[in-house]
Amino acid sequence: MTEPQVFTDPAELRAALQGRGTVGFVPTMGYLHDGHATLMRWARQSCDTVVLSIYVNPLQFGPNEDYASYPRDLERDLKVARSAGVDFVFAPSDATMYPPGFSTRVSVNGVSDTLDGLSRPGHFTGVATVVLKLLNLVRPDKVFLGEKDWQQVAVLRRMITDLNVAVEVVGVPTVRSEEAASLGLALSSRNSYLNEEQKARATVLSRALRAVQAAYAAGERDTQALKQAGLNVLKTEPDAQLDYLTVVDSNLQETPRIAEDPFNRILIAARMFGVRLIDNMPLSANNGAHP
Ligand code: AMP
Protein backbone atom coordinates (compact mmCIF):
# COMPACT_ATOMS: atom_id res chain seq x y z
CA MET A 1 0.00 0.00 0.00
CA THR A 2 1.50 3.31 -1.02
CA GLU A 3 0.76 6.66 0.55
CA PRO A 4 -1.75 8.71 -1.48
CA GLN A 5 -0.19 11.84 -2.91
CA VAL A 6 -1.91 15.02 -1.73
CA PHE A 7 -2.46 17.94 -4.11
CA THR A 8 -3.78 21.39 -3.39
CA ASP A 9 -2.91 22.81 -6.81
CA PRO A 10 -5.24 21.62 -9.60
CA ALA A 11 -2.54 22.07 -12.28
CA GLU A 12 -0.19 19.75 -10.41
CA LEU A 13 -2.96 17.17 -10.04
CA ARG A 14 -3.73 17.37 -13.78
CA ALA A 15 -0.05 16.90 -14.61
CA ALA A 16 0.16 13.87 -12.32
CA LEU A 17 -2.90 12.32 -13.99
CA GLN A 18 -1.29 12.36 -17.45
CA GLY A 19 -0.85 8.83 -18.78
CA ARG A 20 -2.49 7.23 -15.73
CA GLY A 21 -5.28 5.45 -17.64
CA THR A 22 -8.92 5.63 -16.60
CA VAL A 23 -9.65 7.91 -13.66
CA GLY A 24 -12.25 7.20 -10.98
CA PHE A 25 -13.26 10.15 -8.82
CA VAL A 26 -14.83 10.25 -5.36
CA PRO A 27 -15.84 13.76 -4.22
CA THR A 28 -16.26 14.16 -0.44
CA MET A 29 -16.23 16.68 2.36
CA GLY A 30 -13.86 14.50 4.39
CA TYR A 31 -14.16 13.08 7.90
CA LEU A 32 -14.20 9.81 6.06
CA HIS A 33 -16.07 6.71 7.16
CA ASP A 34 -16.68 3.31 5.65
CA GLY A 35 -19.39 4.70 3.33
CA HIS A 36 -16.79 6.93 1.71
CA ALA A 37 -14.26 4.07 1.73
CA THR A 38 -16.75 1.88 -0.13
CA LEU A 39 -16.99 4.49 -2.89
CA MET A 40 -13.17 4.50 -3.09
CA ARG A 41 -13.05 0.71 -3.24
CA TRP A 42 -15.62 0.66 -6.07
CA ALA A 43 -13.48 3.20 -7.92
CA ARG A 44 -10.35 1.13 -7.22
CA GLN A 45 -12.00 -1.94 -8.75
CA SER A 46 -13.00 -0.38 -12.05
CA CYS A 47 -10.46 2.38 -12.73
CA ASP A 48 -6.68 2.58 -13.18
CA THR A 49 -6.29 5.65 -10.99
CA VAL A 50 -8.44 6.77 -8.04
CA VAL A 51 -8.76 10.44 -7.08
CA LEU A 52 -10.45 11.44 -3.83
CA SER A 53 -11.34 15.06 -3.19
CA ILE A 54 -11.73 16.47 0.30
CA TYR A 55 -13.30 19.88 0.38
CA VAL A 56 -15.85 21.30 2.81
CA ASN A 57 -17.76 23.43 0.34
CA PRO A 58 -19.02 26.66 1.93
CA LEU A 59 -21.44 27.23 -0.95
CA GLN A 60 -23.68 24.30 0.02
CA PHE A 61 -24.21 25.32 3.65
CA GLY A 62 -27.01 27.65 4.73
CA PRO A 63 -26.27 30.57 7.08
CA ASN A 64 -27.61 28.66 10.11
CA GLU A 65 -25.99 25.34 9.22
CA ASP A 66 -22.86 23.64 10.50
CA TYR A 67 -20.18 24.87 8.07
CA ALA A 68 -17.92 26.17 10.86
CA SER A 69 -18.32 23.10 13.07
CA TYR A 70 -18.32 20.47 10.29
CA PRO A 71 -15.77 17.83 11.39
CA ARG A 72 -12.36 18.04 9.69
CA ASP A 73 -9.33 15.75 10.17
CA LEU A 74 -7.00 15.42 7.17
CA GLU A 75 -4.50 13.11 8.88
CA ARG A 76 -7.21 10.62 9.76
CA ASP A 77 -8.74 10.93 6.28
CA LEU A 78 -5.41 10.12 4.65
CA LYS A 79 -5.26 6.83 6.57
CA VAL A 80 -8.73 5.86 5.30
CA ALA A 81 -7.77 6.89 1.76
CA ARG A 82 -4.58 4.86 1.98
CA SER A 83 -6.29 1.68 3.10
CA ALA A 84 -8.92 2.04 0.33
CA GLY A 85 -6.16 2.26 -2.30
CA VAL A 86 -6.58 5.92 -3.29
CA ASP A 87 -3.77 7.23 -5.51
CA PHE A 88 -4.32 10.98 -5.32
CA VAL A 89 -6.07 13.23 -2.83
CA PHE A 90 -7.17 16.64 -4.03
CA ALA A 91 -7.66 19.04 -1.12
CA PRO A 92 -8.05 22.51 -2.60
CA SER A 93 -8.19 25.73 -0.60
CA ASP A 94 -11.16 28.10 -0.59
CA ALA A 95 -9.01 30.59 -2.51
CA THR A 96 -8.49 28.02 -5.27
CA MET A 97 -12.15 27.07 -5.50
CA TYR A 98 -13.70 30.50 -5.04
CA PRO A 99 -11.19 33.23 -5.89
CA PRO A 100 -12.22 36.87 -5.63
CA GLY A 101 -14.76 37.69 -8.33
CA PHE A 102 -16.22 34.18 -8.47
CA SER A 103 -19.84 34.69 -9.47
CA THR A 104 -21.21 31.65 -11.33
CA ARG A 105 -23.85 29.27 -9.93
CA VAL A 106 -25.14 26.02 -11.40
CA SER A 107 -28.79 25.61 -10.50
CA VAL A 108 -30.57 22.42 -11.46
CA ASN A 109 -34.24 23.30 -11.51
CA GLY A 110 -37.09 20.91 -10.79
CA VAL A 111 -35.29 18.05 -9.11
CA SER A 112 -33.63 20.51 -6.66
CA ASP A 113 -36.92 22.16 -5.75
CA THR A 114 -38.40 19.50 -3.47
CA LEU A 115 -37.46 17.69 -0.24
CA ASP A 116 -33.96 18.74 0.90
CA GLY A 117 -34.11 21.58 -1.62
CA LEU A 118 -37.08 23.04 0.28
CA SER A 119 -35.51 22.57 3.70
CA ARG A 120 -32.08 23.75 2.63
CA PRO A 121 -32.53 26.60 0.14
CA GLY A 122 -29.52 26.95 -2.14
CA HIS A 123 -27.99 23.67 -0.98
CA PHE A 124 -28.18 21.84 -4.30
CA THR A 125 -26.99 24.89 -6.22
CA GLY A 126 -23.91 24.85 -4.00
CA VAL A 127 -23.45 21.11 -4.56
CA ALA A 128 -23.91 21.30 -8.35
CA THR A 129 -21.54 24.27 -8.62
CA VAL A 130 -18.73 22.63 -6.66
CA VAL A 131 -19.13 19.22 -8.30
CA LEU A 132 -19.05 20.71 -11.80
CA LYS A 133 -15.88 22.60 -10.85
CA LEU A 134 -14.32 19.43 -9.44
CA LEU A 135 -15.28 17.42 -12.53
CA ASN A 136 -13.69 20.09 -14.74
CA LEU A 137 -10.52 20.08 -12.64
CA VAL A 138 -10.13 16.29 -12.31
CA ARG A 139 -11.73 15.25 -15.64
CA PRO A 140 -12.48 11.71 -14.47
CA ASP A 141 -13.95 8.87 -16.54
CA LYS A 142 -16.27 7.86 -13.70
CA VAL A 143 -17.61 9.66 -10.65
CA PHE A 144 -18.79 7.60 -7.66
CA LEU A 145 -21.74 8.96 -5.67
CA GLY A 146 -23.48 7.51 -2.61
CA GLU A 147 -27.17 6.64 -2.81
CA LYS A 148 -27.40 7.76 0.80
CA ASP A 149 -27.87 11.19 -0.77
CA TRP A 150 -30.50 9.99 -3.27
CA GLN A 151 -31.74 13.43 -4.29
CA GLN A 152 -28.15 14.63 -4.69
CA VAL A 153 -27.49 11.78 -7.15
CA ALA A 154 -30.62 12.81 -9.08
CA VAL A 155 -29.52 16.47 -9.16
CA LEU A 156 -25.98 15.63 -10.30
CA ARG A 157 -27.15 13.16 -12.95
CA ARG A 158 -29.48 15.86 -14.30
CA MET A 159 -26.65 18.40 -14.39
CA ILE A 160 -24.22 15.98 -16.05
CA THR A 161 -26.77 15.12 -18.74
CA ASP A 162 -27.95 18.69 -19.30
CA LEU A 163 -24.44 20.16 -19.51
CA ASN A 164 -22.95 17.28 -21.56
CA VAL A 165 -20.31 16.49 -18.98
CA ALA A 166 -18.33 13.50 -20.25
CA VAL A 167 -18.37 11.37 -17.13
CA GLU A 168 -20.14 8.17 -16.13
CA VAL A 169 -22.06 8.31 -12.84
CA VAL A 170 -21.86 5.24 -10.62
CA GLY A 171 -24.33 5.13 -7.72
CA VAL A 172 -23.14 3.17 -4.68
CA PRO A 173 -25.58 1.63 -2.15
CA THR A 174 -25.70 3.06 1.36
CA VAL A 175 -23.33 1.66 3.95
CA ARG A 176 -24.85 1.27 7.43
CA SER A 177 -23.39 0.88 10.88
CA GLU A 178 -22.49 -2.68 11.78
CA GLU A 179 -24.63 -3.21 14.84
CA ALA A 180 -28.12 -4.49 14.01
CA ALA A 181 -26.81 -4.93 10.45
CA SER A 182 -29.68 -4.15 8.12
CA LEU A 183 -31.47 -1.95 10.65
CA GLY A 184 -28.37 0.16 11.21
CA LEU A 185 -27.94 3.86 10.98
CA ALA A 186 -26.68 5.12 7.61
CA LEU A 187 -23.06 6.16 8.09
CA SER A 188 -22.59 9.92 7.95
CA SER A 189 -19.83 12.32 8.97
CA ARG A 190 -22.53 14.13 10.97
CA ASN A 191 -23.06 11.02 13.14
CA SER A 192 -19.91 12.18 14.93
CA TYR A 193 -22.12 14.82 16.58
CA LEU A 194 -24.06 12.01 18.34
CA ASN A 195 -23.11 9.88 21.33
CA GLU A 196 -23.63 6.11 21.31
CA GLU A 197 -27.07 6.24 22.89
CA GLN A 198 -28.21 8.93 20.47
CA LYS A 199 -26.92 6.89 17.52
CA ALA A 200 -28.90 3.88 18.70
CA ARG A 201 -32.03 6.03 18.95
CA ALA A 202 -31.38 7.53 15.52
CA THR A 203 -31.92 4.08 14.01
CA VAL A 204 -35.60 5.05 14.24
CA LEU A 205 -35.13 6.54 10.75
CA SER A 206 -34.07 3.26 9.15
CA ARG A 207 -36.68 1.39 11.21
CA ALA A 208 -39.37 3.70 9.85
CA LEU A 209 -38.16 3.04 6.30
CA ARG A 210 -38.28 -0.72 6.96
CA ALA A 211 -41.86 -0.40 8.20
CA VAL A 212 -42.86 1.27 4.92
CA GLN A 213 -41.13 -1.51 2.99
CA ALA A 214 -43.00 -4.11 5.04
CA ALA A 215 -46.36 -2.43 4.40
CA TYR A 216 -45.60 -2.35 0.68
CA ALA A 217 -44.55 -6.01 0.73
CA ALA A 218 -47.87 -6.80 2.45
CA GLY A 219 -49.70 -5.29 -0.52
CA GLU A 220 -50.35 -1.67 0.52
CA ARG A 221 -50.30 0.69 -2.49
CA ASP A 222 -51.90 3.81 -1.02
CA THR A 223 -49.13 6.36 -0.45
CA GLN A 224 -50.67 7.92 2.69
CA ALA A 225 -51.13 4.49 4.27
CA LEU A 226 -47.54 3.55 3.43
CA LYS A 227 -46.27 6.77 4.96
CA GLN A 228 -48.42 6.18 8.04
CA ALA A 229 -46.65 2.86 8.62
CA GLY A 230 -43.37 4.77 8.85
CA LEU A 231 -44.83 7.60 10.93
CA ASN A 232 -46.10 5.09 13.49
CA VAL A 233 -42.53 3.95 14.06
CA LEU A 234 -41.23 7.51 14.18
CA LYS A 235 -43.78 8.41 16.85
CA THR A 236 -42.07 5.98 19.24
CA GLU A 237 -39.10 8.35 19.36
CA PRO A 238 -40.15 11.71 20.82
CA ASP A 239 -36.77 13.27 20.02
CA ALA A 240 -37.23 12.86 16.27
CA GLN A 241 -38.56 16.03 14.65
CA LEU A 242 -39.69 14.96 11.22
CA ASP A 243 -38.85 17.11 8.22
CA TYR A 244 -40.30 14.78 5.59
CA LEU A 245 -41.19 11.15 4.99
CA THR A 246 -42.21 10.44 1.43
CA VAL A 247 -42.47 7.73 -1.18
CA VAL A 248 -41.40 8.96 -4.60
CA ASP A 249 -41.03 7.65 -8.12
CA SER A 250 -37.97 7.92 -10.35
CA ASN A 251 -38.79 11.62 -10.93
CA LEU A 252 -38.84 12.27 -7.18
CA GLN A 253 -42.60 12.83 -7.42
CA GLU A 254 -45.06 11.62 -4.80
CA THR A 255 -48.30 10.27 -6.24
CA PRO A 256 -51.45 9.23 -4.30
CA ARG A 257 -51.05 5.60 -5.32
CA ILE A 258 -47.85 3.70 -6.00
CA ALA A 259 -47.32 2.81 -9.65
CA GLU A 260 -44.94 0.10 -10.75
CA ASP A 261 -41.66 1.94 -11.11
CA PRO A 262 -38.37 0.14 -10.61
CA PHE A 263 -36.99 3.23 -8.89
CA ASN A 264 -39.69 3.87 -6.28
CA ARG A 265 -37.93 5.10 -3.17
CA ILE A 266 -38.77 5.98 0.44
CA LEU A 267 -36.98 9.09 1.68
CA ILE A 268 -36.83 10.47 5.22
CA ALA A 269 -35.28 13.52 6.89
CA ALA A 270 -35.51 14.35 10.57
CA ARG A 271 -33.74 16.43 13.15
CA MET A 272 -32.55 14.50 16.19
CA PHE A 273 -30.47 15.90 19.04
CA GLY A 274 -29.78 19.02 16.98
CA VAL A 275 -28.49 17.07 13.95
CA ARG A 276 -30.30 16.84 10.63
CA LEU A 277 -30.26 13.21 9.47
CA ILE A 278 -31.41 11.78 6.13
CA ASP A 279 -31.91 8.24 4.90
CA ASN A 280 -33.62 6.36 2.08
CA MET A 281 -34.35 2.84 0.90
CA PRO A 282 -35.94 1.20 -2.12
CA LEU A 283 -39.70 0.71 -1.68
CA SER A 284 -39.38 -2.89 -2.76
CA ALA A 285 -36.49 -5.31 -2.77
CA ASN A 286 -36.91 -5.36 -6.57
CA ASN A 287 -36.18 -1.66 -6.85
CA GLY A 288 -32.82 -0.84 -8.25
CA ALA A 289 -30.04 1.65 -8.14
CA HIS A 290 -30.58 5.23 -9.16
CA PRO A 291 -31.76 5.57 -12.79
P1 AMP B 1 -20.06 13.79 1.98
O1 AMP B 1 -18.64 13.77 2.44
O2 AMP B 1 -21.06 13.62 3.07
O3 AMP B 1 -20.34 14.95 1.08
O4 AMP B 1 -20.23 12.50 1.08
C1 AMP B 1 -19.38 12.23 -0.01
C2 AMP B 1 -19.92 11.06 -0.79
O5 AMP B 1 -20.03 9.91 0.03
C3 AMP B 1 -21.34 11.33 -1.35
O6 AMP B 1 -21.44 10.78 -2.65
C4 AMP B 1 -22.20 10.60 -0.36
O7 AMP B 1 -23.44 10.19 -0.90
C5 AMP B 1 -21.34 9.39 -0.04
N1 AMP B 1 -21.75 8.78 1.22
C6 AMP B 1 -21.92 9.42 2.42
N2 AMP B 1 -22.37 8.55 3.34
C7 AMP B 1 -22.50 7.35 2.74
C8 AMP B 1 -22.92 6.04 3.15
N3 AMP B 1 -23.31 5.80 4.40
N4 AMP B 1 -22.92 5.05 2.23
C9 AMP B 1 -22.52 5.29 0.96
N5 AMP B 1 -22.11 6.47 0.50
C10 AMP B 1 -22.10 7.50 1.38
Side-chain angles (χ1 to χ4, degrees):
M1 236 182 301
T2 50
E3 238 15 85
Q5 215 179 327
V6 182
F7 295 87
T8 52
D9 180 349
E12 286 176 15
L13 172 67
R14 292 278 324 139
L17 283 171
Q18 290 304 314
R20 296 273 316 209
T22 57
V23 174
F25 178 45
V26 180
T28 79
M29 298 204 301
Y31 214 71
L32 304 175
H33 50 66
D34 198 48
H36 298 117
T38 302
L39 269 59
M40 300 172 214
R41 287 192 288 264
W42 277 45
R44 180 74 283 160
Q45 275 180 11
S46 70
C47 300
D48 298 319
T49 301
V50 178
V51 180
L52 167 78
S53 69
I54 298 176
Y55 180 61
V56 183
N57 172 36
L59 221 56
Q60 71 189 68
F61 287 80
N64 299 317
E65 294 185 352
D66 56 347
Y67 173 69
S69 59
Y70 197 85
R72 294 161 168 90
D73 188 342
L74 185 62
E75 286 312 307
R76 180 179 168 281
D77 287 349
L78 291 179
K79 290 189 190 124
V80 178
R82 177 173 181 267
S83 59
V86 166
D87 299 297
F88 299 147
V89 173
F90 180 45
S93 66
D94 290 335
T96 296
M97 294 303 279
Y98 302 116
F102 185 89
S103 41
T104 300
R105 295 289 183 280
V106 180
S107 59
V108 184
N109 301 324
V111 67
S112 297
D113 299 334
T114 63
L115 304 169
D116 282 359
L118 290 176
S119 313
R120 306 183 68 189
H123 170 66
F124 287 121
T125 293
V127 170
T129 303
V130 78
V131 171
L132 184 59
K133 283 179 68 78
L134 291 168
L135 292 173
N136 284 335
L137 291 169
V138 177
R139 292 186 222 162
D141 297 278
K142 298 184 185 187
V143 60
F144 294 80
L145 302 173
E147 288 180 354
K148 193 225 156 203
D149 299 284
W150 185 258
Q151 188 178 8
Q152 174 169 281
V153 179
V155 168
L156 294 175
R157 278 190 190 276
R158 186 76 255 162
M159 175 192 78
I160 284 164
T161 301
D162 288 355
L163 298 182
N164 310 96
V165 185
V167 69
E168 181 188 332
V169 175
V170 181
V172 180
T174 302
V175 178
R176 297 177 182 281
S177 64
E178 274 165 30
E179 72 273 18
S182 60
L183 288 181
L185 182 64
L187 294 181
S188 163
S189 306
R190 288 193 170 95
N191 292 352
S192 64
Y193 298 138
L194 304 176
N195 64 33
E196 289 310 309
E197 191 220 326
Q198 290 169 333
K199 279 186 210 167
R201 287 168 66 183
T203 60
V204 72
L205 268 69
S206 52
R207 285 183 276 122
L209 295 174
R210 292 268 175 217
V212 178
Q213 284 184 324
Y216 181 81
E220 185 60 73
R221 293 295 180 271
D222 178 80
T223 302
Q224 278 312 323
L226 285 167
K227 284 163 56 169
Q228 195 56 51
L231 292 174
N232 291 344
V233 173
L234 209 73
K235 262 192 292 193
T236 64
E237 182 46 77
D239 283 310
Q241 296 154 254
L242 183 68
D243 180 357
Y244 60 77
L245 168 64
T246 185
V247 184
V248 296
D249 61 19
S250 50
N251 296 315
L252 291 184
Q253 296 298 313
E254 187 182 297
T255 52
R257 280 193 75 75
I258 303 298
E260 288 309 318
D261 179 333
F263 305 112
N264 284 330
R265 204 87 185 172
I266 322 156
L267 307 178
I268 192 167
R271 192 165 257 286
M272 288 188 78
F273 316 109
V275 184
R276 191 168 182 281
L277 300 169
I278 59 171
D279 200 353
N280 70 83
M281 285 183 194
L283 181 57
S284 129
N286 300 326
N287 288 160
H290 201 280

